[in-house]
Amino acid sequence: MMKSLRELSTVDRSRAICDYCLQDVTNNRQGEFEEMLFCKDCDAKAHPSCMKYSSTLAAQALSYPWQCVECKTCSSCFTARDGASILFCDGCDKAYHMLCHEPEVITKPEGKWLCSSCLNDPVISLEDFSEEENGLESDVASFSSELQTSGANSTRLSTVSPPVSSNHTQINNVPDSTNWTAAQVAEYFTNAGFTKQASVFAEEEIDGKSLLLLQRTDVVSGMTFKLGPAVKIYEHIVKLQRASSRKRSYHQQNGMS
C-alpha cells in the first residue's frame, strides 16, 4: 500500500514529486534545490516557489506542520467552519477565524494581513511580500486532482482568468459573463481548472446574471465547496463582476445601450 505523506521518511520525502512542476527537491522550476512543503493532512506537496511564496513566507511555512489550502483549518479552533471569516496570514500562511484571532479582527482587512504572532516577529515585515504574494493569491491554489493531472503547464496561480471560448467578449483579458448561460458558466470554471465544482453551477442553473450577483458568503458558505476551491472560485467571480461593471460604465460614458 502506498504511504501517505504523513508517513514518508526523510529519504522518501527527498524523492517526492511536486504537484506543480513534477520535479523533486533537487530540481525546482529554476533547476535549483528547494525544500518542499508537505501538507500534514493529505498528499499535497509543492515547492514554495511553485506557489509563488516569497523566501520569508516559505521559511515560515517550512517551520511548522503545514496545511494546504483545502485542508486549512483555523490555528485557534482547528476547524474550517464559517470559511467566509477565515483570514490567511501573509507572514506565516496560517489561517484564523476573525473572532478566533487574538486580538479579534473586527473588520475584514483588504490586501495584506499579518497575524499577531507575525506582527510581533522582528524578522517579518509586510515589505517582504509583493502584491502577488499575499495570502489569498499565493495559497488558494487547490491541490485537487485537477491540478495533479494538469502537469507542468498548470496555470492555476495566474492572476489573469484562464481563456474561454472565443465567443466570450473580453474586457481587459477578463470575459464579460453578463449574458452567459448556465452551461457557459460551467464551461468557464471547467477551463479554469475547477472541473468538479463547475457541475454545481450547471445543476443550480446559475447563469451569467446570477453569477454577477453572488457574494463571498454565497460561494464560500452557501455552496458545497471546500474552502480552498471556494476562495479561488470567488476570486474569479469578483474579476467577472468587475469586468461587467467596467463594461456598463464604458457604455454609459459613451451613450451606448
Side-chain angles (χ1 to χ4, degrees):
M1 182 179 295
M2 183 179 294
K3 295 180 181 179
S4 70
L5 288 177
R6 285 170 287 179
E7 300 172 314
L8 289 179
S9 67
T10 302
V11 174
D12 292 327
R13 287 195 170 204
S14 70
R15 298 170 181 166
I17 301 300
C18 173
D19 291 331
Y20 287 89
C21 69
L22 306 182
Q23 300 294 327
D24 61 19
V25 296
T26 66
N27 189 34
N28 63 11
R29 289 183 189 273
Q30 291 74 43
E32 301 172 346
F33 177 90
E34 183 181 8
E35 293 286 352
M36 276 198 286
L37 289 166
F38 295 88
C39 179
K40 73 180 185 68
D41 296 320
C42 74
D43 289 345
K45 53 203 178 296
H47 296 110
S49 63
C50 285
M51 295 189 295
K52 301 195 184 293
Y53 280 22
S54 68
S55 57
T56 303
L57 180 56
Q60 292 296 317
L62 286 165
S63 69
Y64 67 90
W66 177 77
Q67 289 177 304
C68 71
V69 73
E70 286 200 4
C71 297
K72 193 82 75 178
T73 56
C74 173
S75 295
S76 293
C77 70
F78 306 108
T79 72
R81 67 174 184 269
D82 189 19
S85 73
I86 288 184
L87 303 176
F88 294 87
C89 176
D90 289 289
C92 63
D93 200 33
K94 292 181 180 179
Y96 293 89
H97 288 109
M98 293 170 63
L99 297 182
C100 288
H101 183 266
E102 295 184 4
E104 293 182 358
V105 180
I106 305 303
T107 303
K108 179 162 288 190
E110 296 184 2
K112 304 170 186 177
W113 176 75
L114 293 181
C115 68
S116 57
S117 295
C118 290
L119 278 174
N120 294 322
D121 189 333
V123 176
I124 297 175
S125 168
L126 280 176
E127 300 304 318
D128 295 333
F129 309 101
S130 67
E131 289 298 330
E132 291 75 22
E133 290 169 337
N134 66 65
L136 288 180
E137 286 293 338
S138 61
D139 193 33
V140 293
S142 165
F143 285 97
S144 59
S145 58
E146 297 91 40
L147 173 61
Q148 296 188 31
T149 57
S150 64
N153 293 323
S154 173
T155 57
R156 293 286 296 279
L157 287 174
S158 172
T159 57
V160 179
S161 299
V164 293
S165 300
S166 58
N167 62 334
H168 295 151
T169 303
Q170 300 285 320
I171 305 294
N172 291 342
N173 295 322
V174 180
D176 175 24
S177 62
T178 305
N179 297 315
W180 284 1
T181 63
Q184 286 175 304
V185 172
E187 175 197 356
Y188 173 82
F189 286 107
T190 297
N191 290 340
F194 303 100
T195 306
K196 294 179 180 179
Q197 295 80 10
S199 62
V200 175
F201 289 93
E203 292 167 2
E204 297 294 329
E205 298 183 350
I206 299 175
D207 59 13
K209 290 183 174 62
S210 299
L211 186 72
L212 298 177
L213 296 175
L214 291 179
Q215 298 182 9
R216 180 185 171 89
T217 52
D218 297 325
V219 181
V220 176
S221 302
M223 305 179 82
T224 58
F225 301 152
K226 290 184 178 180
L227 177 60
V231 173
K232 193 62 175 179
I233 286 170
Y234 182 66
E235 287 186 350
H236 281 280
I237 292 174
V238 168
K239 292 173 186 176
L240 293 169
Q241 291 171 339
R242 289 173 178 168
S244 176
S245 178
R246 286 195 295 269
K247 180 183 177 182
R248 288 197 304 272
S249 297
Y250 177 81
H251 285 181
Q252 291 171 357
Q253 292 172 3
N254 291 275
M256 301 169 64
S257 59

